[in-house]
């Protein structure tokens, strides 16, 4: 292929065939050489493309050669916080790599980010866990070649189910809900979600944590439930009924894996091994076809790493948060 033959256009989010083709190229690109990769499901992609969010503006690009889509990209512009940042994703089919397609998509994303007044572009890259510090692999090298620097790192871990039992401290009882948080817990749940956003280690990544209020939580729950079985475990202190922690788990509809999102124990409630108990309670409640759970944790988050290791999680990949200054 000659790079001159390359066209970049914008996905028409109203075109179902084009949406499916975009998703297929993204998925094939993500899975190439990454047996443990987690790719957004088509159902989840359909939600973000067909029902725009109030909090993020998103655009999807396609790189075409002779009408064949060989690469795709996503640009996400936060609208409420981090309004100087753009988040970028670039995917090129393995058979079309190292010919400038990725660079052409990246440059288009940068141009659009500048036009939207953004001065930084963030991007996540994931590589095999086996790579050393001097050899992190193609996607990392691509991001560096685009001028991005590493700002934060997380391990991608995987556990096969069932995991060993982790009983809750008898001073607490565990509550489980699916989908929307029940009204009686909403205030406490919002406090914990906001505490999580403020507490989660993010290295040198300079980001303003999103502030969840009831409307934003409700919008997020509504969107997530269209593509995921959303499961929450929370710990309530028996003595006073105070919620001391929660763990949030998604099972994408039609899949056999879980995706472990937040787990937080509030400062006053730490030291009771509630993190492991919350996670284990969620996993024990899953349907039998769910065979494994993915999660991400910063390697220097010792408490969460210990919890994960005790539950049988193993590191399968490394994820890097990269960032380029485009001012
Ligand atoms: C990362 C990715 C998008 C690169 O796409 P690409 O079309 O091969 O990239 P380009 O050909 O434009 O490469 C541009 C530069 O990046 C660097 N680069 C890209 N792939 C590399 C590799 N495997 N090893 C070392 N450097 C690499 C090189 O400097 C390259 O310039 P050069 O070919 O003149 O040396 C592609 O490998 C991919 O889709 N990976 C999976 C998705 C992903 O992880 N994306 C993360 C980025 S947001």
């Amino acid at each position: 292929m000659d790079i001159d033959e390359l066209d970049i256009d914008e996905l028409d989010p109203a075109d179902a065939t084009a949406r499916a083709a975009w998703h297929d190229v993204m998925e094939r690109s993500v899975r190439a050489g990454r047996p443990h990769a987690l790719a957004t499901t088509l159902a989840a992609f359909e939600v973000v493309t067909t029902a725009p969010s109030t909090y993020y503006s998103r655009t999807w690009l396609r790189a075409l050669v002779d009408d064949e889509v060989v690469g795709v990209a996503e640009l996400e512009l936060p609208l409420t916080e981090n309004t100087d940042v753009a988040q970028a994703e670039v995917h090129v089919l393995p058979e079309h790599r190292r010919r400038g397609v990725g660079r052409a998509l990246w440059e288009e994303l940068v141009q659009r980010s500048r036009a939207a007044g953004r001065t930084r572009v963030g991007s996540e890259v994931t590589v095999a866990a086996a790579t050393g510090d001097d050899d992190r692999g193609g996607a990392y090298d691509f991001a560096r070649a685009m001028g991005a620097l590493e700002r934060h790192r997380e391990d991608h871990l995987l556990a096969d189910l069932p995991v060993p039992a982790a009983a809750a401290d008898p001073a607490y009882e565990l509550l489980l809900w699916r989908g929307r948080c029940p009204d009686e817990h909403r205030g406490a749940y919002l406090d914990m979600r906001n505490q999580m956003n403020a507490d989660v280690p993010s290295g040198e990544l300079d980001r303003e944590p999103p502030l969840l209020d009831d409307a934003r939580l409700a919008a997020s729950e509504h969107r997530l439930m269209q593509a995921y079985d959303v499961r929450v475990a929370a710990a309530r202190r028996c003595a006073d009924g105070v919620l001391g922690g929660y763990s949030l788990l998604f099972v994408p509809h039609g899949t056999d894996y879980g995706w472990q999102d937040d787990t937080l124990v509030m400062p006053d409630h730490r030291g009771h091994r509630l993190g492991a108990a919350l996670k284990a309670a969620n996993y024990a409640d899953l349907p039998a076809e769910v065979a494994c759970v993915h999660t991400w944790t910063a390697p220097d988050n010792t408490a969460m790493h210990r919890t994960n290791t005790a539950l049988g999680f193993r590191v399968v990949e490394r994820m890097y948060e990269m960032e380029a200054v485009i001012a």
Side-chain angles (χ1 to χ4, degrees):
M1 180 203 79
D2 187 333
I3 190 77
D4 295 342
E5 299 164 10
L6 187 71
D7 282 323
I8 293 184
D9 73 3
E10 210 173 298
L11 171 73
D12 173 4
D15 181 338
T17 308
R19 288 199 305 270
W22 191 104
H23 179 269
D24 176 59
V25 170
M26 179 278 290
E27 185 162 30
R28 281 194 281 145
S29 163
V30 166
R31 295 208 183 285
R34 289 181 49 202
H36 301 298
L38 197 69
T40 305
T41 59
L42 180 58
F45 184 62
E46 293 284 272
V47 172
V48 288
T49 43
T50 59
S53 158
T54 317
Y55 305 97
Y56 298 92
S57 157
R58 297 188 176 95
T59 313
W60 298 272
L61 301 180
R62 313 184 300 172
L64 298 124
V65 176
D66 294 334
D67 293 333
E68 183 200 352
V69 183
V70 299
V72 294
E74 178 178 297
L75 184 66
E76 179 184 273
L77 304 174
L79 300 175
T80 307
E81 58 283 307
N82 300 306
T83 52
D84 59 331
V85 175
Q87 195 68 23
E89 253 185 52
V90 179
H91 304 280
V92 177
L93 287 175
E95 59 274 27
H96 294 280
R97 290 182 185 169
R98 296 313 293 272
R99 294 169 180 177
V101 178
R103 183 188 294 277
L105 283 165
W106 176 269
E107 285 172 356
E108 179 68 26
L109 295 179
V110 168
Q111 199 183 319
R112 287 167 179 251
S113 301
R114 283 201 183 107
R118 311 289 156 140
T119 55
R120 299 185 279 156
V121 180
S123 187
E124 289 183 0
V125 302
T126 303
V127 301
T131 52
D133 280 351
D134 298 326
D135 171 28
R136 295 194 181 90
Y140 187 92
D141 291 344
F142 168 77
R144 292 287 289 117
M146 297 304 108
L149 295 174
E150 180 184 327
R151 295 293 187 207
H152 179 52
R153 188 186 121 186
E154 293 197 354
D155 289 335
H156 170 198
L157 303 102
L158 188 63
D160 296 319
L161 298 182
V163 300
D169 185 305
Y172 289 82
E173 62 177 332
L174 299 187
L175 315 169
L176 299 179
W177 68 79
R178 289 172 64 187
R180 190 179 183 281
C181 173
D183 287 344
E184 75 244 53
H185 304 312
R186 269 183 109 71
Y189 185 51
L190 272 170
D191 288 346
M192 294 195 291
R193 293 287 299 261
N194 284 319
Q195 177 89 28
M196 173 79 195
N197 287 339
D199 277 7
V200 65
S202 58
E204 296 163 47
L205 200 63
D206 179 16
R207 292 286 190 279
E208 200 184 326
L211 189 64
L212 276 189
D213 57 14
D214 194 69
R216 192 163 179 177
L217 173 63
S220 156
E221 289 174 326
H222 175 72
R223 288 168 75 79
L224 285 165
M225 282 158 60
Q226 292 172 55
Y228 303 98
D229 177 8
V230 178
R231 292 167 168 265
V232 180
R236 178 161 60 187
R237 190 160 52 199
C238 303
D240 55 10
V242 171
L243 292 195
Y246 76 100
S247 186
L248 175 58
L249 177 71
F250 304 118
V251 180
H253 291 155
T255 69
D256 61 358
Y257 61 84
W259 158 29
Q260 172 70 62
D261 201 25
D262 301 355
T263 299
L264 172 87
V265 177
M266 295 291 265
D268 284 357
H269 301 259
R270 291 183 186 160
H272 298 271
R273 297 189 185 275
L274 287 179
L278 289 164
K279 286 187 171 188
N282 253 344
Y283 305 163
D285 194 46
L286 286 169
E289 65 269 18
V290 180
C292 64
V293 177
H294 296 258
T295 194
W296 284 260
T297 306
D300 53 6
N301 188 342
T302 314
M304 193 43 80
H305 245 290
R306 292 228 173 105
T307 301
N308 284 334
T309 310
L311 289 170
F313 278 97
R314 62 189 193 280
V315 177
V316 290
E317 295 189 312
R318 296 193 199 289
M319 189 274 281
Y320 296 91
E321 299 267 11
M322 312 293 288
E323 188 174 272
V325 174
I326 58 160

